[in-house]
């Protein structure tokens, strides 16, 4: 990496995640609808990440399809749809069912979004970690780990049932607390941008930010084939949960295609429909490989 690229690589994460998040919060705070501010920021972020993967790849081989592109796109679209339906349902429930008035609506919107993100992120961490130790949950979570490369699209690669299971606890809690709809929209949008960078095939550096946020430098090591090595860095947005529960690891070295995936499952199906059916088949083989 040239000196210029090395310097620029430190600005990629804060520009896209923190800068994009700031635009989203300012737009929602000004009364804009999510389609007016969130959608444009998400689209621009995806385009930027896609270009950066070509200009500054972490692993050049991951920029080539491994017979997985269509499947990953379908996962992304389905799970994006699930999020939109969930947000529409949230908007209906939060207006009609006032569970409590404990949410600090008088706080600045940015602070409310941060608190909402922390709550949702804590439950994402807990369910994610549990999914690596519970045989039934692992069957569904294995779909996410089946990828043999990491790039921005498969940041949202999850079995739909596991997607719902991960998201429901945290979102339900902020609903009960009375978090306004724009707060939840902002939190999930910023989380979505982070997922792009967390899986992005970009050789960026986060510096001290890797002790605050779950960046690619940490998350890549969670996708190692060996089960005992992948039980680290479970966080989705904030690194505090991994630090608090002692699952934080910052490794050195370089991962390639042969290093990621699921040990003992080299023939994991690549077709979307087959991946949806896979958790219901072959219970014994994978559970044995995770021990």
């Amino acid at each position: 990496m040239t000196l210029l690229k090395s310097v620029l690589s430190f600005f990629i994460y804060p520009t896209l995640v923190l800068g994009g998040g700031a635009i989203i919060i300012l737009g929602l705070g000004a009364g804009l609808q999510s389609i007016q501010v969130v959608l444009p920021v998400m689209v621009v972020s995806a385009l930027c990440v896609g270009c950066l993967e070509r200009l500054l790849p972490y692993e050049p081989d991951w920029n080539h399809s491994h017979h997985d592109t269509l499947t990953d796109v379908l996962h992304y679209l389905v799970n994006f749809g699930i999020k939109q339906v969930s947000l529409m349902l949230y908007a209906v429930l939060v207006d009609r069912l006032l569970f409590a008035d404990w949410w600090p609506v008088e706080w600045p919107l940015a602070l409310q979004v941060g608190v909402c993100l922390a709550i949702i992120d804590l439950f994402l961490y807990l369910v994610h970690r549990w999914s690596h130790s519970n045989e039934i949950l692992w069957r569904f979570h294995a779909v996410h780990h089946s990828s043999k490369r990491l790039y921005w699209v498969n940041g949202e690669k999850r079995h739909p049932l596991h997607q719902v299971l991960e998201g429901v606890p945290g979102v339900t809690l902020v609903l009960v607390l009375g978090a306004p709809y724009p707060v939840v929209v902002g939190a999930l949008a910023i989380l979505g941008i982070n997922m792009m960078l967390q899986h992005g095939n970009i050789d960026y550096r986060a510096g001290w930010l890797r002790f605050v946020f779950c960046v690619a430098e940490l998350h890549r090591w969670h996708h190692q084939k060996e089960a005992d090595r992948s039980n680290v860095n479970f966080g989705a947005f904030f690194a505090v949960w991994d630090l608090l529960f002692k699952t934080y690891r910052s490794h050195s070295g370089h991962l390639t295609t042969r290093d990621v995936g699921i040990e003992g499952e080299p023939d994991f199906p690549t077709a979307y429909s087959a991946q949806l059916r896979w958790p219901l088949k072959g219970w014994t083989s994978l559970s044995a490989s995770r021990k």
Side-chain angles (χ1 to χ4, degrees):
M1 184 185 296
T2 65
L3 178 60
L4 178 60
K5 284 186 176 181
S6 180
V7 172
L8 290 176
S9 70
F10 283 96
F11 290 92
I12 291 174
Y13 183 87
T15 299
L16 290 177
V17 177
L18 302 183
I23 293 172
I24 288 171
I25 291 171
L26 288 173
L28 293 174
L32 296 178
Q33 299 297 313
S34 60
I35 196 172
Q36 296 175 294
V37 60
V38 172
L39 184 60
V41 172
M42 295 292 287
V43 170
V44 170
S45 297
L47 291 173
C48 289
V49 172
C51 291
L52 286 168
E53 286 186 327
R54 266 59 188 176
L55 295 173
L56 197 65
Y58 170 82
E59 171 53 56
D61 181 55
W62 292 353
N63 279 338
H64 305 291
S65 177
H66 290 53
H67 307 291
D68 55 1
T69 304
L70 176 59
T71 295
D72 291 345
V73 169
L74 289 173
H75 277 295
Y76 192 98
L77 293 176
V78 168
N79 290 327
F80 180 81
I82 290 174
K83 286 184 180 180
Q84 300 315 303
V85 172
S86 300
L87 284 171
M88 288 188 288
L89 180 61
Y90 188 96
V92 172
L93 292 177
V94 77
D95 284 341
R96 297 185 181 182
L97 301 174
L98 182 60
F99 294 98
D101 57 357
W102 298 326
W103 192 262
V105 292
E106 71 280 1
W107 289 4
L109 182 60
L111 188 54
Q112 292 185 57
V113 170
V115 171
C116 183
L117 250 175
I119 293 172
I120 292 174
D121 192 48
L122 171 60
F123 284 94
L124 290 175
Y125 171 90
L126 293 174
V127 175
H128 186 185
R129 187 173 177 181
W130 188 24
S131 298
H132 279 256
S133 59
N134 180 278
E135 181 180 346
I136 296 176
L137 293 180
W138 170 253
R139 295 294 303 180
F140 291 92
H141 184 51
V143 171
H144 181 71
H145 278 267
S146 66
S147 297
K148 297 182 179 179
R149 62 172 176 146
L150 300 177
Y151 68 119
W152 79 268
V153 178
N154 62 22
E156 297 290 349
K157 179 180 181 178
R158 291 175 185 82
H159 194 285
L161 292 179
H162 199 267
Q163 167 89 347
V164 172
L165 183 64
E166 278 192 316
V168 164
V171 173
T172 299
L173 180 54
V174 297
L175 173 64
V176 171
L177 293 174
Y181 174 72
V183 172
V184 179
V185 170
L188 293 182
I190 295 170
L191 179 62
I193 298 174
N194 192 73
M195 289 295 185
M196 295 182 193
L197 269 294
Q198 189 185 66
H199 269 245
N201 181 28
I202 306 171
D203 194 16
Y204 70 87
R205 301 287 185 273
W208 62 267
L209 288 177
R210 71 182 184 277
F211 296 105
V212 181
F213 302 107
C214 300
V215 297
E217 289 175 74
L218 302 176
H219 190 72
R220 289 188 188 108
W221 300 97
H222 177 71
H223 280 266
Q224 294 178 95
K225 282 184 177 180
E226 296 85 353
D228 56 339
R229 293 192 173 192
S230 66
N231 287 325
V232 297
N233 303 335
F234 295 98
F237 189 80
F238 290 114
V240 63
W241 310 122
D242 282 301
L243 289 166
L244 181 64
F245 296 114
K246 302 185 186 305
T247 54
Y248 181 98
R249 298 291 186 277
S250 183
H251 297 281
S252 60
H254 185 88
L255 294 176
T256 64
T257 304
R258 66 176 180 271
D259 300 315
V260 300
I262 304 175
E263 187 179 33
E265 287 292 331
D267 300 318
F268 199 96
T270 56
Y272 180 75
S273 59
Q275 290 190 356
L276 295 188
R277 296 191 303 268
W278 189 87
L280 305 176
K281 300 167 62 176
W283 288 89
T284 58
S285 62
L286 186 59
S287 62
S289 72
R290 301 299 295 180
K291 295 179 180 179

